[in-house]
Amino acid sequence: MDVEKIDEIIDGYVDEEGVLIQILLDIQRELNWVPKEAIMEMSRRLQIPISQIYRVASFYTAMSLTPMGRHLVQVCLGTACHVRGAPKILNKVENTLKIKAGETTEDMIFTLRTVNCLGCCAMGPVMVVDEDYHGKMKTSDVNGILERYE
Amino acid sequence: MPKINSPTELEDLRREILSKRDPNKPCITLCSGTACHATGSEKVAVAIEKELEKQSLKDDVDVRRTGCHGFCERGPIVVIYPEEICYLNVTPEDVSEIISETIKEKKIIDRLLYTDPNTGEKVVYEYEIPFYKEQTRIVFGPNKNIDPKSIDDYIAIGGYSALSKALFDMTPEQVLEEVKRSNLRGRGGGGFPTGRKWETTRNAPGEPKYVIVNCDEGDPGAYMDRSLMEGNFHSVIEGLIIGAYAIGSHEGLIYVRQEYPLAVENVNIAIKRAEGYGLLGNNILGSGFDFTVKVHRGAGAFVSGESSALMTAIEGKVGEPRPKYIHTSESGVWDKPSDLNNVETWANIPLIINKGSEWFTSIGTERSKGTKIFSLVGKVNNTGLVEVPMGTTIREIIYKIGGGIPGGKKFKALQTGGPSGGCISEEYLDTPVDFDELAKLGSIMGSGGMIVMDEDTCMVDVARYFVDFLCDESCGKCVPCREGLKRVRKILNGIVAGEGKEGDIELLEEIGNVMSKASLCALGKTAANPILSTIRYFRDEYDAHIEEKRCPALVCKDLISYYIDPERCNACRLCLKNCPADAIDGEKKLIHIIDQSKCIKCGTCFDVCPPKFSAVKKISGAPVPPPIPEEKRVLVKDKKAKGGKK
């Protein structure tokens, strides 16, 4: 891990109060997860106990304390998607990737997550892979979509 | 960007912007909200720009990427001005035709128009489409006319004139009085009178005072605030500065979920532009009033939308609520007086200042004034954002604007108010929607989520869905919410799995009542609403699950079986090839059979079976018929012969 990158991010918030969450979000965006080393560096620089940083990082869903796969698959479980059959889509993705929501495949290609609403309810049920939105999903669409990513 | 130093300079700038704009010059606008973006509106925009270049029309036609138009069901949406010709579901392939036919020849392309699903009639102009026609869009309306990245677009439609009026023609006390007289109530769901909240913060001792925009819109199925943040954030900034002026605050905090990347981007751009013109910063418009804002990205926690939790999150801590015997309006962020209002509340302020409280109170019901934006989603034809006067009935919203239920299905329930709300049954369709009427029915109006459910929705499953959601999102600080939700989840999981027993419903009600009374914050206090309201209106469904082990809507996995009707099966092998469990036996011309012991009930066979056959059936509460004997499985194509098999 590049400690300089972490320092650079922290330097962007000098003398500001209450920036812990903002820094963690930036680290997450930069590295795609929040490694232990990053937390230790934050603790050293910001003079905040490691335990406190862990508490914040583990409370919010936006930060991942484990490495993420190359592609992020998000299945929306918002209410609108739910009544249009989202649980079946999730089931199918879990069966296909052989992981549960929140896990990463062994080959580190996919991380699967559920989200509570993407606000594209008109397209529901929705599955998003990285930045690509796939709407009006059917269980039979899942394999074809996932095969496009490697 | 030159700073604007006085109201006169603002008006001069407005005139200058307008003088450069020819209202008769063709302008192609494109909805670029998140939903249209997801369906490819940017590709259409790029195609339009290329095509204009190709046909040498670049200087004769303007292209504008606007905020969300709200008719998300039919995106990407293209509206061509000055006529307001509206094309729906536009793809890049349609673009060259649009330019050569509509722009050049002024001819309408029929296939891209809105077709009334009931009459089959085509509608050419956006304002004539029933979805728009039946709405009163005073807050949300400008979204479709302005490019959210351009402050000039906002100024052109009269933007920041309310700010100028407040700062120069009114004292802070007069602004406060006007807002109090308007009876504006908080749009985030609480419905607390905005003016009174402002007054508390204004009178509270302690400096500095903060004003906060709450855009931690977390209710699943609700995205009104996002569309305002993405599409017209200047209206929120304008409201915020006016509020700060009335309260005596010089620092604003904007809390926006990072799950809304486009909103974060547009918010930051809008702030930069406003700062550039001197509408934020020191000595705004030369009035001597100073005000700055800072953006905080939320990191994904539903409970952080609660005001006291949001304020702890702003301090960089775990966003947990605290008891509110001291109001946040007196002691909030860093223990300073902090006024927090929802995005839509702020966006109402410039309108109230410009048009006056009398105008505002002329809209709505006795105790709920103005309009409300709803996010109408689920099993409804016209999914999208709907702004109507308070007091509009549920029926008008679902049927007149929403176009009814798709596929000829029957309406079952309307879920309002997100996880804190409840489900309302058919007999209450004529209820006027406002803060008080929905509360009487055991639901809440909340921030404006409206999820339509049809006969294929299982209400026990819906209750379990919300409890699941709340279990994950409960911060765990207080016992009634943390433990109550866990127990309720266990009972509901049992019921949908066919293990429900007598007394379960009463126990659910008991736990629900304790949670409502004893929880620390609104999340726990309202968490029982989805459970209690579904029991109240759909008790028969609970009974069917518990007593007959039957799911009437055929949703609950453990209570249904999939079965292939031999009379309808065409032995096409589609289900067989797609079955992930190898549970289907059959071959070409051999009627397929599901091996119930292998079936994982994923529903793939049901989805892939061609509609003209619809051979795969769901069965609940009754045994699956035994498989047909081997000798009868050979498919006979002749229908008569098939009928003879009976």
Side-chain angles (χ1 to χ4, degrees), chain A residues 18 22 26 60-62 77-79 82-84 91 116-119 139, chain B residues 73 220-221 226 297 299-300 315 317 319 378-379 461 465 469 557 607:
Chain A
Q22 307 303 309
D26 287 351
Y60 292 103
T61 50
L77 289 186
T79 324
H82 181 88
V83 300
R84 291 189 183 185
N91 230 316
N116 285 329
C117 184
L118 292 160
T139 48
Chain B
E73 185 76 37
R226 187 195 65 198
R297 286 164 294 155
E315 294 171 3
K317 299 179 201 146
K379 303 283 189 75
D461 176 65
Y465 164 81
F469 174 90
K557 216 170 140 182
D607 288 341

PDB file of all heavy atoms in Angstrom, chain A residues 18 22 26 60-62 77-79 82-84 91 116-119 139, chain B residues 73 220-221 226 297 299-300 315 317 319 378-379 461 465 469 557 607:
ATOM      1  N   GLY A  18     -13.855  17.184  12.296  1.00  0.00           N
ATOM      2  CA  GLY A  18     -14.842  16.176  11.916  1.00  0.00           C
ATOM      3  C   GLY A  18     -14.641  15.576  10.540  1.00  0.00           C
ATOM      4  O   GLY A  18     -15.589  15.309   9.820  1.00  0.00           O
ATOM      5  N   GLN A  22     -14.929  11.728   5.961  1.00  0.00           N
ATOM      6  CA  GLN A  22     -14.581  12.199   4.619  1.00  0.00           C
ATOM      7  C   GLN A  22     -13.264  11.571   4.153  1.00  0.00           C
ATOM      8  O   GLN A  22     -13.115  11.178   3.001  1.00  0.00           O
ATOM      9  CB  GLN A  22     -14.482  13.736   4.604  1.00  0.00           C
ATOM     10  CG  GLN A  22     -15.716  14.449   5.155  1.00  0.00           C
ATOM     11  CD  GLN A  22     -17.004  14.069   4.435  1.00  0.00           C
ATOM     12  OE1 GLN A  22     -17.077  14.121   3.224  1.00  0.00           O
ATOM     13  NE2 GLN A  22     -18.018  13.657   5.185  1.00  0.00           N
ATOM     14  N   ASP A  26     -12.566   8.957   0.980  1.00  0.00           N
ATOM     15  CA  ASP A  26     -11.562   9.196  -0.060  1.00  0.00           C
ATOM     16  C   ASP A  26     -10.633   8.001  -0.206  1.00  0.00           C
ATOM     17  O   ASP A  26     -10.260   7.614  -1.316  1.00  0.00           O
ATOM     18  CB  ASP A  26     -10.748  10.461   0.262  1.00  0.00           C
ATOM     19  CG  ASP A  26     -11.567  11.732   0.036  1.00  0.00           C
ATOM     20  OD1 ASP A  26     -12.676  11.613  -0.519  1.00  0.00           O
ATOM     21  OD2 ASP A  26     -11.104  12.814   0.434  1.00  0.00           O
ATOM     22  N   TYR A  60     -20.322   2.278   8.856  1.00  0.00           N
ATOM     23  CA  TYR A  60     -20.880   2.744   7.583  1.00  0.00           C
ATOM     24  C   TYR A  60     -20.658   1.724   6.471  1.00  0.00           C
ATOM     25  O   TYR A  60     -19.603   1.104   6.387  1.00  0.00           O
ATOM     26  CB  TYR A  60     -20.244   4.085   7.188  1.00  0.00           C
ATOM     27  CG  TYR A  60     -20.624   5.210   8.105  1.00  0.00           C
ATOM     28  CD1 TYR A  60     -19.741   5.672   9.077  1.00  0.00           C
ATOM     29  CD2 TYR A  60     -21.872   5.801   8.022  1.00  0.00           C
ATOM     30  CE1 TYR A  60     -20.089   6.714   9.926  1.00  0.00           C
ATOM     31  CE2 TYR A  60     -22.226   6.837   8.867  1.00  0.00           C
ATOM     32  CZ  TYR A  60     -21.338   7.289   9.819  1.00  0.00           C
ATOM     33  OH  TYR A  60     -21.687   8.304  10.665  1.00  0.00           O
ATOM     34  N   THR A  61     -21.663   1.590   5.622  1.00  0.00           N
ATOM     35  CA  THR A  61     -21.575   0.577   4.567  1.00  0.00           C
ATOM     36  C   THR A  61     -20.649   0.979   3.426  1.00  0.00           C
ATOM     37  O   THR A  61     -20.208   0.136   2.662  1.00  0.00           O
ATOM     38  CB  THR A  61     -22.959   0.298   3.957  1.00  0.00           C
ATOM     39  OG1 THR A  61     -23.553   1.544   3.609  1.00  0.00           O
ATOM     40  CG2 THR A  61     -23.863  -0.441   4.918  1.00  0.00           C
ATOM     41  N   ALA A  62     -20.360   2.264   3.314  1.00  0.00           N
ATOM     42  CA  ALA A  62     -19.557   2.702   2.170  1.00  0.00           C
ATOM     43  C   ALA A  62     -18.102   2.249   2.267  1.00  0.00           C
ATOM     44  O   ALA A  62     -17.389   2.251   1.283  1.00  0.00           O
ATOM     45  CB  ALA A  62     -19.607   4.219   2.040  1.00  0.00           C
ATOM     46  N   LEU A  77     -32.264  -3.861  -3.598  1.00  0.00           N
ATOM     47  CA  LEU A  77     -33.353  -4.474  -2.840  1.00  0.00           C
ATOM     48  C   LEU A  77     -34.291  -3.402  -2.289  1.00  0.00           C
ATOM     49  O   LEU A  77     -34.906  -3.569  -1.249  1.00  0.00           O
ATOM     50  CB  LEU A  77     -32.799  -5.329  -1.697  1.00  0.00           C
ATOM     51  CG  LEU A  77     -32.109  -6.635  -2.075  1.00  0.00           C
ATOM     52  CD1 LEU A  77     -31.756  -7.429  -0.839  1.00  0.00           C
ATOM     53  CD2 LEU A  77     -32.975  -7.492  -2.991  1.00  0.00           C
ATOM     54  N   GLY A  78     -34.366  -2.278  -3.001  1.00  0.00           N
ATOM     55  CA  GLY A  78     -35.337  -1.256  -2.611  1.00  0.00           C
ATOM     56  C   GLY A  78     -36.744  -1.827  -2.692  1.00  0.00           C
ATOM     57  O   GLY A  78     -36.960  -2.871  -3.313  1.00  0.00           O
ATOM     58  N   THR A  79     -37.697  -1.135  -2.074  1.00  0.00           N
ATOM     59  CA  THR A  79     -39.052  -1.687  -2.003  1.00  0.00           C
ATOM     60  C   THR A  79     -39.648  -1.924  -3.389  1.00  0.00           C
ATOM     61  O   THR A  79     -40.278  -2.946  -3.641  1.00  0.00           O
ATOM     62  CB  THR A  79     -39.973  -0.732  -1.229  1.00  0.00           C
ATOM     63  OG1 THR A  79     -39.217  -0.151  -0.181  1.00  0.00           O
ATOM     64  CG2 THR A  79     -41.142  -1.477  -0.652  1.00  0.00           C
ATOM     65  N   HIS A  82     -38.081  -4.839  -4.807  1.00  0.00           N
ATOM     66  CA  HIS A  82     -38.502  -6.022  -4.048  1.00  0.00           C
ATOM     67  C   HIS A  82     -39.841  -6.549  -4.548  1.00  0.00           C
ATOM     68  O   HIS A  82     -39.980  -7.742  -4.806  1.00  0.00           O
ATOM     69  CB  HIS A  82     -38.589  -5.696  -2.554  1.00  0.00           C
ATOM     70  CG  HIS A  82     -38.995  -6.858  -1.708  1.00  0.00           C
ATOM     71  ND1 HIS A  82     -38.079  -7.753  -1.203  1.00  0.00           N
ATOM     72  CD2 HIS A  82     -40.212  -7.302  -1.311  1.00  0.00           C
ATOM     73  CE1 HIS A  82     -38.729  -8.695  -0.525  1.00  0.00           C
ATOM     74  NE2 HIS A  82     -40.022  -8.437  -0.563  1.00  0.00           N
ATOM     75  N   VAL A  83     -40.823  -5.646  -4.708  1.00  0.00           N
ATOM     76  CA  VAL A  83     -42.128  -6.133  -5.138  1.00  0.00           C
ATOM     77  C   VAL A  83     -42.108  -6.570  -6.610  1.00  0.00           C
ATOM     78  O   VAL A  83     -42.996  -7.263  -7.069  1.00  0.00           O
ATOM     79  CB  VAL A  83     -43.281  -5.108  -4.916  1.00  0.00           C
ATOM     80  CG1 VAL A  83     -43.413  -4.764  -3.451  1.00  0.00           C
ATOM     81  CG2 VAL A  83     -43.101  -3.850  -5.742  1.00  0.00           C
ATOM     82  N   ARG A  84     -41.065  -6.173  -7.329  1.00  0.00           N
ATOM     83  CA  ARG A  84     -40.963  -6.625  -8.714  1.00  0.00           C
ATOM     84  C   ARG A  84     -40.031  -7.826  -8.847  1.00  0.00           C
ATOM     85  O   ARG A  84     -39.567  -8.151  -9.940  1.00  0.00           O
ATOM     86  CB  ARG A  84     -40.471  -5.486  -9.604  1.00  0.00           C
ATOM     87  CG  ARG A  84     -41.473  -4.360  -9.793  1.00  0.00           C
ATOM     88  CD  ARG A  84     -40.970  -3.402 -10.848  1.00  0.00           C
ATOM     89  NE  ARG A  84     -41.828  -2.251 -11.041  1.00  0.00           N
ATOM     90  CZ  ARG A  84     -41.624  -1.348 -11.988  1.00  0.00           C
ATOM     91  NH1 ARG A  84     -40.604  -1.464 -12.806  1.00  0.00           N
ATOM     92  NH2 ARG A  84     -42.425  -0.310 -12.117  1.00  0.00           N
ATOM     93  N   ASN A  91     -30.922 -14.172  -5.525  1.00  0.00           N
ATOM     94  CA  ASN A  91     -30.733 -15.600  -5.382  1.00  0.00           C
ATOM     95  C   ASN A  91     -29.962 -16.186  -6.542  1.00  0.00           C
ATOM     96  O   ASN A  91     -29.035 -16.975  -6.387  1.00  0.00           O
ATOM     97  CB  ASN A  91     -32.135 -16.236  -5.391  1.00  0.00           C
ATOM     98  CG  ASN A  91     -32.302 -17.156  -4.234  1.00  0.00           C
ATOM     99  OD1 ASN A  91     -31.395 -17.930  -3.948  1.00  0.00           O
ATOM    100  ND2 ASN A  91     -33.434 -17.055  -3.559  1.00  0.00           N
ATOM    101  N   ASN A 116     -30.003  -0.629  -0.812  1.00  0.00           N
ATOM    102  CA  ASN A 116     -31.383  -0.436  -0.375  1.00  0.00           C
ATOM    103  C   ASN A 116     -32.236   0.393  -1.314  1.00  0.00           C
ATOM    104  O   ASN A 116     -33.432   0.465  -1.147  1.00  0.00           O
ATOM    105  CB  ASN A 116     -31.402   0.177   1.015  1.00  0.00           C
ATOM    106  CG  ASN A 116     -31.037  -0.844   2.052  1.00  0.00           C
ATOM    107  OD1 ASN A 116     -31.311  -2.027   1.881  1.00  0.00           O
ATOM    108  ND2 ASN A 116     -30.378  -0.417   3.106  1.00  0.00           N
ATOM    109  N   CYS A 117     -31.656   1.051  -2.250  1.00  0.00           N
ATOM    110  CA  CYS A 117     -32.421   1.752  -3.284  1.00  0.00           C
ATOM    111  C   CYS A 117     -31.451   2.571  -4.090  1.00  0.00           C
ATOM    112  O   CYS A 117     -30.639   3.303  -3.551  1.00  0.00           O
ATOM    113  CB  CYS A 117     -33.492   2.696  -2.722  1.00  0.00           C
ATOM    114  SG  CYS A 117     -34.467   3.447  -4.052  1.00  0.00           S
ATOM    115  N   LEU A 118     -31.517   2.404  -5.390  1.00  0.00           N
ATOM    116  CA  LEU A 118     -30.655   3.191  -6.270  1.00  0.00           C
ATOM    117  C   LEU A 118     -31.430   4.344  -6.884  1.00  0.00           C
ATOM    118  O   LEU A 118     -30.895   5.132  -7.637  1.00  0.00           O
ATOM    119  CB  LEU A 118     -30.082   2.304  -7.378  1.00  0.00           C
ATOM    120  CG  LEU A 118     -29.090   1.241  -6.911  1.00  0.00           C
ATOM    121  CD1 LEU A 118     -28.962   0.140  -7.945  1.00  0.00           C
ATOM    122  CD2 LEU A 118     -27.733   1.864  -6.643  1.00  0.00           C
ATOM    123  N   GLY A 119     -32.731   4.407  -6.572  1.00  0.00           N
ATOM    124  CA  GLY A 119     -33.541   5.492  -7.110  1.00  0.00           C
ATOM    125  C   GLY A 119     -33.789   5.373  -8.607  1.00  0.00           C
ATOM    126  O   GLY A 119     -34.066   6.351  -9.273  1.00  0.00           O
ATOM    127  N   THR A 139     -34.372 -13.453 -14.078  1.00  0.00           N
ATOM    128  CA  THR A 139     -33.341 -14.395 -13.621  1.00  0.00           C
ATOM    129  C   THR A 139     -32.539 -14.920 -14.808  1.00  0.00           C
ATOM    130  O   THR A 139     -31.342 -15.153 -14.696  1.00  0.00           O
ATOM    131  CB  THR A 139     -33.970 -15.577 -12.864  1.00  0.00           C
ATOM    132  OG1 THR A 139     -35.061 -16.063 -13.638  1.00  0.00           O
ATOM    133  CG2 THR A 139     -34.465 -15.169 -11.499  1.00  0.00           C
TER     134      THR A 139
ATOM    135  N   GLU B  73     -40.241   6.318 -16.057  1.00  0.00           N
ATOM    136  CA  GLU B  73     -40.656   5.089 -16.722  1.00  0.00           C
ATOM    137  C   GLU B  73     -40.307   5.123 -18.212  1.00  0.00           C
ATOM    138  O   GLU B  73     -40.034   4.093 -18.802  1.00  0.00           O
ATOM    139  CB  GLU B  73     -42.181   4.948 -16.553  1.00  0.00           C
ATOM    140  CG  GLU B  73     -42.754   3.664 -17.096  1.00  0.00           C
ATOM    141  CD  GLU B  73     -42.466   2.477 -16.193  1.00  0.00           C
ATOM    142  OE1 GLU B  73     -42.499   2.659 -14.972  1.00  0.00           O
ATOM    143  OE2 GLU B  73     -42.197   1.388 -16.719  1.00  0.00           O
ATOM    144  N   PRO B 220     -36.077   3.401   1.009  1.00  0.00           N
ATOM    145  CA  PRO B 220     -36.058   2.714  -0.277  1.00  0.00           C
ATOM    146  C   PRO B 220     -37.298   3.060  -1.085  1.00  0.00           C
ATOM    147  O   PRO B 220     -38.410   3.093  -0.559  1.00  0.00           O
ATOM    148  CB  PRO B 220     -36.041   1.227   0.105  1.00  0.00           C
ATOM    149  CG  PRO B 220     -36.410   1.151   1.527  1.00  0.00           C
ATOM    150  CD  PRO B 220     -36.137   2.480   2.144  1.00  0.00           C
ATOM    151  N   GLY B 221     -37.115   3.342  -2.357  1.00  0.00           N
ATOM    152  CA  GLY B 221     -38.237   3.677  -3.217  1.00  0.00           C
ATOM    153  C   GLY B 221     -38.560   5.159  -3.238  1.00  0.00           C
ATOM    154  O   GLY B 221     -39.581   5.557  -3.751  1.00  0.00           O
ATOM    155  N   ARG B 226     -33.204  13.570  -4.213  1.00  0.00           N
ATOM    156  CA  ARG B 226     -32.072  13.421  -5.120  1.00  0.00           C
ATOM    157  C   ARG B 226     -32.309  14.213  -6.398  1.00  0.00           C
ATOM    158  O   ARG B 226     -31.416  14.885  -6.905  1.00  0.00           O
ATOM    159  CB  ARG B 226     -31.853  11.955  -5.480  1.00  0.00           C
ATOM    160  CG  ARG B 226     -30.591  11.779  -6.279  1.00  0.00           C
ATOM    161  CD  ARG B 226     -30.510  10.443  -6.956  1.00  0.00           C
ATOM    162  NE  ARG B 226     -31.563  10.320  -7.946  1.00  0.00           N
ATOM    163  CZ  ARG B 226     -31.963   9.178  -8.454  1.00  0.00           C
ATOM    164  NH1 ARG B 226     -31.421   8.062  -8.031  1.00  0.00           N
ATOM    165  NH2 ARG B 226     -32.905   9.146  -9.352  1.00  0.00           N
ATOM    166  N   ARG B 297     -20.215  14.383   2.866  1.00  0.00           N
ATOM    167  CA  ARG B 297     -20.768  13.192   2.226  1.00  0.00           C
ATOM    168  C   ARG B 297     -21.123  12.168   3.301  1.00  0.00           C
ATOM    169  O   ARG B 297     -20.322  11.859   4.172  1.00  0.00           O
ATOM    170  CB  ARG B 297     -19.743  12.584   1.268  1.00  0.00           C
ATOM    171  CG  ARG B 297     -19.567  13.365  -0.019  1.00  0.00           C
ATOM    172  CD  ARG B 297     -18.308  12.950  -0.727  1.00  0.00           C
ATOM    173  NE  ARG B 297     -17.133  13.317   0.056  1.00  0.00           N
ATOM    174  CZ  ARG B 297     -15.952  12.705  -0.031  1.00  0.00           C
ATOM    175  NH1 ARG B 297     -15.794  11.692  -0.856  1.00  0.00           N
ATOM    176  NH2 ARG B 297     -14.931  13.103   0.707  1.00  0.00           N
ATOM    177  N   ALA B 299     -21.896   8.364   4.604  1.00  0.00           N
ATOM    178  CA  ALA B 299     -21.185   7.151   4.214  1.00  0.00           C
ATOM    179  C   ALA B 299     -22.058   5.905   4.225  1.00  0.00           C
ATOM    180  O   ALA B 299     -21.554   4.798   4.293  1.00  0.00           O
ATOM    181  CB  ALA B 299     -19.965   6.961   5.119  1.00  0.00           C
ATOM    182  N   GLY B 300     -23.357   6.103   4.162  1.00  0.00           N
ATOM    183  CA  GLY B 300     -24.208   4.932   4.039  1.00  0.00           C
ATOM    184  C   GLY B 300     -24.673   4.367   5.358  1.00  0.00           C
ATOM    185  O   GLY B 300     -24.142   3.375   5.844  1.00  0.00           O
ATOM    186  N   GLU B 315     -19.944  15.533  12.582  1.00  0.00           N
ATOM    187  CA  GLU B 315     -18.758  15.703  13.428  1.00  0.00           C
ATOM    188  C   GLU B 315     -17.716  14.622  13.164  1.00  0.00           C
ATOM    189  O   GLU B 315     -16.687  14.570  13.818  1.00  0.00           O
ATOM    190  CB  GLU B 315     -19.178  15.682  14.908  1.00  0.00           C
ATOM    191  CG  GLU B 315     -20.039  16.871  15.300  1.00  0.00           C
ATOM    192  CD  GLU B 315     -20.628  16.743  16.704  1.00  0.00           C
ATOM    193  OE1 GLU B 315     -20.307  15.748  17.395  1.00  0.00           O
ATOM    194  OE2 GLU B 315     -21.416  17.614  17.096  1.00  0.00           O
ATOM    195  N   LYS B 317     -18.242  11.325  13.470  1.00  0.00           N
ATOM    196  CA  LYS B 317     -18.381  10.167  14.360  1.00  0.00           C
ATOM    197  C   LYS B 317     -19.410   9.190  13.813  1.00  0.00           C
ATOM    198  O   LYS B 317     -20.021   9.410  12.769  1.00  0.00           O
ATOM    199  CB  LYS B 317     -18.825  10.636  15.743  1.00  0.00           C
ATOM    200  CG  LYS B 317     -17.847  11.572  16.413  1.00  0.00           C
ATOM    201  CD  LYS B 317     -18.408  11.980  17.768  1.00  0.00           C
ATOM    202  CE  LYS B 317     -17.743  13.273  18.236  1.00  0.00           C
ATOM    203  NZ  LYS B 317     -18.686  14.101  18.995  1.00  0.00           N
ATOM    204  N   GLY B 319     -22.768   7.779  13.249  1.00  0.00           N
ATOM    205  CA  GLY B 319     -24.019   8.516  13.218  1.00  0.00           C
ATOM    206  C   GLY B 319     -25.131   7.845  13.993  1.00  0.00           C
ATOM    207  O   GLY B 319     -26.019   7.225  13.425  1.00  0.00           O
ATOM    208  N   GLY B 378     -43.144   1.080  -8.007  1.00  0.00           N
ATOM    209  CA  GLY B 378     -43.702  -0.253  -7.767  1.00  0.00           C
ATOM    210  C   GLY B 378     -44.563  -0.707  -8.926  1.00  0.00           C
ATOM    211  O   GLY B 378     -44.237  -0.483 -10.087  1.00  0.00           O
ATOM    212  N   LYS B 379     -45.731  -1.289  -8.596  1.00  0.00           N
ATOM    213  CA  LYS B 379     -46.569  -1.864  -9.643  1.00  0.00           C
ATOM    214  C   LYS B 379     -47.523  -0.807 -10.188  1.00  0.00           C
ATOM    215  O   LYS B 379     -48.734  -0.834  -9.934  1.00  0.00           O
ATOM    216  CB  LYS B 379     -47.350  -3.050  -9.073  1.00  0.00           C
ATOM    217  CG  LYS B 379     -46.484  -4.127  -8.462  1.00  0.00           C
ATOM    218  CD  LYS B 379     -45.828  -4.994  -9.529  1.00  0.00           C
ATOM    219  CE  LYS B 379     -45.134  -6.202  -8.940  1.00  0.00           C
ATOM    220  NZ  LYS B 379     -46.012  -7.266  -8.494  1.00  0.00           N
ATOM    221  N   ASP B 461     -44.748 -10.851   3.438  1.00  0.00           N
ATOM    222  CA  ASP B 461     -43.390 -10.714   2.907  1.00  0.00           C
ATOM    223  C   ASP B 461     -42.947  -9.250   2.924  1.00  0.00           C
ATOM    224  O   ASP B 461     -41.786  -8.947   3.209  1.00  0.00           O
ATOM    225  CB  ASP B 461     -43.361 -11.280   1.477  1.00  0.00           C
ATOM    226  CG  ASP B 461     -42.015 -11.086   0.807  1.00  0.00           C
ATOM    227  OD1 ASP B 461     -41.041 -11.694   1.289  1.00  0.00           O
ATOM    228  OD2 ASP B 461     -41.935 -10.314  -0.169  1.00  0.00           O
ATOM    229  N   TYR B 465     -39.858  -7.737   4.794  1.00  0.00           N
ATOM    230  CA  TYR B 465     -38.872  -6.968   4.046  1.00  0.00           C
ATOM    231  C   TYR B 465     -38.445  -5.722   4.842  1.00  0.00           C
ATOM    232  O   TYR B 465     -37.254  -5.441   5.006  1.00  0.00           O
ATOM    233  CB  TYR B 465     -39.446  -6.555   2.685  1.00  0.00           C
ATOM    234  CG  TYR B 465     -38.676  -5.457   2.006  1.00  0.00           C
ATOM    235  CD1 TYR B 465     -37.515  -5.749   1.295  1.00  0.00           C
ATOM    236  CD2 TYR B 465     -39.075  -4.127   2.104  1.00  0.00           C
ATOM    237  CE1 TYR B 465     -36.788  -4.747   0.702  1.00  0.00           C
ATOM    238  CE2 TYR B 465     -38.345  -3.117   1.507  1.00  0.00           C
ATOM    239  CZ  TYR B 465     -37.204  -3.426   0.797  1.00  0.00           C
ATOM    240  OH  TYR B 465     -36.471  -2.424   0.222  1.00  0.00           O
ATOM    241  N   PHE B 469     -34.857  -4.820   6.676  1.00  0.00           N
ATOM    242  CA  PHE B 469     -34.181  -3.565   6.388  1.00  0.00           C
ATOM    243  C   PHE B 469     -33.826  -2.849   7.691  1.00  0.00           C
ATOM    244  O   PHE B 469     -32.697  -2.428   7.914  1.00  0.00           O
ATOM    245  CB  PHE B 469     -35.105  -2.692   5.527  1.00  0.00           C
ATOM    246  CG  PHE B 469     -34.588  -1.304   5.262  1.00  0.00           C
ATOM    247  CD1 PHE B 469     -33.797  -1.045   4.156  1.00  0.00           C
ATOM    248  CD2 PHE B 469     -34.899  -0.257   6.123  1.00  0.00           C
ATOM    249  CE1 PHE B 469     -33.327   0.230   3.916  1.00  0.00           C
ATOM    250  CE2 PHE B 469     -34.417   1.022   5.890  1.00  0.00           C
ATOM    251  CZ  PHE B 469     -33.629   1.273   4.784  1.00  0.00           C
ATOM    252  N   LYS B 557     -41.288 -18.324  -0.737  1.00  0.00           N
ATOM    253  CA  LYS B 557     -40.602 -19.450  -1.352  1.00  0.00           C
ATOM    254  C   LYS B 557     -40.908 -20.799  -0.693  1.00  0.00           C
ATOM    255  O   LYS B 557     -41.118 -21.803  -1.372  1.00  0.00           O
ATOM    256  CB  LYS B 557     -39.107 -19.169  -1.246  1.00  0.00           C
ATOM    257  CG  LYS B 557     -38.299 -19.633  -2.400  1.00  0.00           C
ATOM    258  CD  LYS B 557     -36.900 -19.062  -2.268  1.00  0.00           C
ATOM    259  CE  LYS B 557     -35.900 -20.128  -2.675  1.00  0.00           C
ATOM    260  NZ  LYS B 557     -34.526 -19.670  -2.536  1.00  0.00           N
ATOM    261  N   ASP B 607     -39.935 -17.900 -15.206  1.00  0.00           N
ATOM    262  CA  ASP B 607     -39.593 -16.708 -15.979  1.00  0.00           C
ATOM    263  C   ASP B 607     -39.337 -17.006 -17.446  1.00  0.00           C
ATOM    264  O   ASP B 607     -39.649 -16.192 -18.309  1.00  0.00           O
ATOM    265  CB  ASP B 607     -38.339 -16.027 -15.399  1.00  0.00           C
ATOM    266  CG  ASP B 607     -38.632 -15.350 -14.078  1.00  0.00           C
ATOM    267  OD1 ASP B 607     -39.819 -15.104 -13.811  1.00  0.00           O
ATOM    268  OD2 ASP B 607     -37.681 -15.076 -13.324  1.00  0.00           O
TER     269      ASP B 607
END
